Amino acid sequence: MKHTYAGVTTELEDRVCPHCNTPLEPWVAPPQSGWGVILVCNNNECPHYTGSKEDIENKRDDSHLGCRYAENPDNGYKPFNLLAVCR
């Protein structure tokens, strides 16, 4: 897949979420994160995402934080949990 942002084109592998088989979408991470373009599962019905708000330890009871499945192409597509707001 080709991704263009701010005039820069990046070619990434087509990847799918191992939890829901949805194609991962490119996302430009904030500059202070140290990442470039990462791939994220944006499926709101993904079991990894829907069950993640209970998996975060030591968060406030009223917090809506959870995790989306993501991969970093610059690190061999190594998977990680991307902090997200669960609705």
Side-chain angles (χ1 to χ4, degrees):
M1 111 183 46
K2 287 189 179 182
H3 174 72
T4 302
Y5 179 77
V8 177
T9 300
T10 305
E11 189 152 357
L12 304 170
E13 290 181 23
D14 289 332
R15 309 280 291 186
V16 297
C17 176
H19 304 280
C20 67
N21 211 34
T22 299
L24 298 178
E25 298 177 23
W27 182 67
V28 178
Q32 62 272 24
S33 71
W35 297 322
V37 176
I38 58 175
L39 297 174
V40 180
C41 177
N42 286 316
N43 177 6
N44 290 337
E45 303 303 317
C46 177
H48 182 81
Y49 174 68
T50 58
S52 67
K53 59 185 171 183
E54 287 82 27
D55 292 338
I56 298 177
E57 294 181 19
N58 301 320
K59 71 174 187 169
R60 294 187 331 254
D61 291 340
D62 62 343
S63 173
H64 297 286
L65 294 178
C67 297
R68 290 196 181 273
Y69 178 84
E71 294 181 351
N72 184 351
D74 292 337
N75 194 14
Y77 293 91
K78 184 176 178 181
F80 65 96
N81 292 323
L82 180 66
L83 198 59
V85 175
C86 292
R87 297 176 199 248

